[in-house]
Structure formats: C-alpha cells, structure tokens
Amino acid sequence: MSIDGWRPAAETVTGRWSALERDWQSVIVGGMIVALVSALELQIPW
Amino acid sequence: MAVRRLLPGVFALCLGALLARGLALSLGVNNLLLAIALGVVVTNGVGIPARLESGIATHKLWLGAGIVLMGASISVETVLEVGGRVFLVVIAVATLTLIVVELLARNVFGLAERLGSLLAAGASICGVSAVVAVAGAVSAREEQVAYAAATVLLFDAITIAVYPIVGDLLELSSTVFGIWAGVSMFSTGPVVAVGFAHSEMAGQWATMTKLSRNALIGVVVLAYASYYARTGDGDTPSVRTLWAEFPKFVVGFLALAALSSLGVFSAAQQTSIEHAYNWLFLLAFVGLGTEIQLGDLRQTGLVPAFVVMLSLLVASSLSLALLLVLF
C-alpha cells in the first residue's frame, strides 16, 4: 500500500487520539509501554 | 498534522530529560529537581519558542503515564496495611485546609466568595486542576481563576524547594515524608518530584497519597456546585460531575497495581517499567519547570497568597505531627 493509502487510517487514529481526555491518553501511553516491555522483553536503561 | 506540531516540543523535553539525567549523574544531585530547575532556567532565561510550546505542554500527559506505570511497582500488601489510615489522614487534612482557607478568605481577609472557594479547592485537593474544575462549577470570573491559579503555582514553586530541606533537617522516614508531601502540597507534579527526590519509597507514598486526594475532586466540585446553585448563581450539579472530574489515570494505576500483585510481571519487566516511569517523570518535570514563570508569580496578590500560606502552614504542620504519631 502506498503512503497515500495509509493516510486516512492515520488521520482516523490521530482524530480519535485528540478526542480522548488527557487522562485516558496517559493510560494508553502507559499501557503501550507495558505491552512493549512484556511482549518484546524490552530492556529500558536508566 | 497535529503530531508534527507536537514533535519539536516533545524532542526538546527529551533533550532536557537527557541533560538533567547526565548533569545529575556527574554533579551528584537529584535528577528530578534538576529537571524542574532546567525548565525554570530556560523559560525565565531565554523563553520558550512558540513552535515548541504545544509539544512542551504534553508534560502532563507524560506525568500521568508515569503514574500509571508506577502502579506496577506498588506493594499492594503495604497499601492495604496502612492505606486506611492514610486515606483518613487525606480526608482530614483536605477538609481542614478547605475550611481554613474558606474561613480566612471570607471572614478575616474579606476576599470575594468565589476567589476564596477557588483558593480553598486548589489548596485542599489538587492545585490548578482543582481551581479550573471548581471555577467551571461555580461560574467564577476569569481573573479570579488566573489569580487563584497563580497563587497555587507560587506555592508549588516554594514547596518544591522547601519540603526536601525540611524532610532532610527532620530526618523524616520515607513513609512519613512521602505521605506528608502527598497530603499537604498542592499540585501532583511537585508532589511526585519531591517524593522521588527523597527516596523511591517516599515517591511511591507521595504519589499514592496524592492520587487518593485527587480522587476527592469530584466530591468537592459537586459540593461547591450545589452551594452556588442554591444561592442562585452557579451551574446545577449532577452525579455525573463525580466521574467527569475523577482523575482517570488512577484507573490505569490501579489496573497495573492489580496485575503486578497477581505476579504478571517478571523482575526484569518490573525493572524496565520502573526505568520507563523514571524517564517519563524526567520529561514531565522539565515541562513542569517551564510553567514556573517568575514574572507571573510576582503578580500574585498579596492577600490571597497570605491566606494560602497560613492554611499551608496549619495543614502542613498538623499533618506532619499526626503522621509522626501514626507511623
């Protein structure tokens, strides 16, 4: 699929993201990090 | 596109976080307080370019995400063991602060009723967020909101500097210091920052205590809305207000705490999650520092600042005495 083909999907995602309350956005960001760490055994340095 | 608009500012936050971490390691100072200081120096020294502003404003999102992730490191057993006592202290101190500010504002210093209510909500619950939430419910004037918010920010800046010093001078334990910061300081960001600057355990207690205090905002908004609706010049409250004002990231925090207590995460995963929230807090605190504009703080009214200072002194010293007895 060309980049143009992905554009509507990307716009839908960003639209839905913007419509979310900031607190729920925080929950999603946290959830995504946990999912990445759990699924890929990601080692985050400190 | 919105993402492209945010990227420069988010990149600046990442850069600030890396710089704060690097400087903290080489200077041997606390990285969270250094991140805030970095933000303060940049915003008051050279200013924030307009194209970075929207990205930097995402710092509250990163703070919320960091708090959600912190749920994975919480010992549910400890929370259940002392949580009841902490929640009672939270309710007692929040109620006391609210009453002290209202009484001083109305009866001693003769401030406008709504300004007093905004200051009371900001001081007793969750800083500027509470000011904004109550302002909507009581139809406060714009300048009253700005005044109350500036007063809260002034004390956020003062307490960020003073609490760690008092904690060290009195050699407070991590539990007492964390709960004390969570129960008596104003905004969530500064509470988390001074908590973790003291110790990891103090940071966790500070955050949990502050979250339970923040959860009271719905009740306070509902109470104020009912009061002002009765006097005929406020919005009619509804039970929906309780959920609308509830800080939703608490749901994510509790979900992760539950998963963690079920043993879902391995030790390595928990360490990675802990590192992730440390980085998120650094991003958030660089952004928080940029909100402390010294010029704005100087414009805070003397009387509202005095009212809030007196209530902070009362709530802070009484809660510390209570915590030293209880823990």
Side-chain angles (χ1 to χ4, degrees), chain B residues 163-177:
Chain B
Y163 267 59
I165 297 171
V166 176
D168 286 346
L169 281 178
L170 299 181
E171 294 176 348
L172 298 177
S173 71
S174 293
T175 309
V176 169
F177 182 79

Side-chain angles (χ1 to χ4, degrees), chain B residues 141 193 276:
Chain B
R141 292 202 311 269

Side-chain angles (χ1 to χ4, degrees), chain A residues 16-29:
Chain A
R16 290 215 174 138
W17 174 258
S18 310
L20 271 178
E21 220 179 294
R22 193 185 57 226
D23 281 0
W24 286 122
Q25 291 179 344
S26 292
V27 174
I28 289 175
V29 170

Side-chain angles (χ1 to χ4, degrees), chain B residues 148-173:
Chain B
T151 309
V152 167
L153 288 173
L154 171 70
F155 284 95
D156 279 345
I158 292 171
T159 49
I160 284 172
V162 171
Y163 267 59
I165 297 171
V166 176
D168 286 346
L169 281 178
L170 299 181
E171 294 176 348
L172 298 177
S173 71

Side-chain angles (χ1 to χ4, degrees), chain B residues 93-94 96-102 104 119-120 122-125 151-163 166 180-187 191 210 213 304-321:
Chain B
V93 177
L96 174 80
T97 309
L98 197 124
I99 292 171
V100 168
V101 177
E102 283 285 4
L104 287 175
L119 292 172
S124 63
I125 309 292
T151 309
V152 167
L153 288 173
L154 171 70
F155 284 95
D156 279 345
I158 292 171
T159 49
I160 284 172
V162 171
Y163 267 59
V166 176
W180 179 51
V183 87
S184 57
M185 284 174 65
F186 295 165
S187 300
V191 168
K210 189 67 177 69
R213 197 168 137 213
F306 194 60
V307 168
V308 172
M309 187 188 73
L310 286 178
S311 80
L312 177 65
L313 286 175
V314 170
S316 182
S317 45
L318 282 181
S319 60
L320 182 57

Side-chain angles (χ1 to χ4, degrees), chain B residues 181-315:
Chain B
V183 87
S184 57
M185 284 174 65
F186 295 165
S187 300
T188 307
V191 168
V192 177
V194 302
F196 279 100
H198 186 275
S199 68
E200 183 75 21
M201 197 204 265
Q204 293 185 351
W205 273 115
T207 312
M208 282 189 292
T209 309
K210 189 67 177 69
L211 288 186
S212 49
R213 197 168 137 213
N214 289 357
L216 300 176
I217 183 62
V219 180
V220 171
V221 169
L222 201 62
Y224 271 123
S226 306
Y227 171 78
Y228 282 97
R230 219 179 39 192
T231 61
D233 47 7
D235 296 336
T236 312
S238 70
V239 179
R240 203 179 289 174
T241 313
L242 283 173
W243 176 243
E245 300 301 339
F246 186 79
K248 315 292 187 306
F249 55 75
V250 174
V251 176
F253 172 87
L254 292 175
L256 274 193
L259 286 176
S260 174
S261 64
L262 290 172
V264 170
F265 306 116
S266 67
Q269 287 170 338
Q270 263 182 329
T271 306
S272 274
I273 292 172
E274 200 177 307
H275 291 171
Y277 76 66
N278 284 332
W279 281 115
L280 287 171
F281 285 156
L282 268 190
L283 285 188
F285 294 143
V286 173
L288 175 73
T290 65
E291 284 203 351
I292 301 176
Q293 309 236 2
L294 301 177
D296 291 352
L297 297 184
R298 275 196 291 268
Q299 287 164 12
T300 311
L302 208 59
V303 177
F306 194 60
V307 168
V308 172
M309 187 188 73
L310 286 178
S311 80
L312 177 65
L313 286 175
V314 170

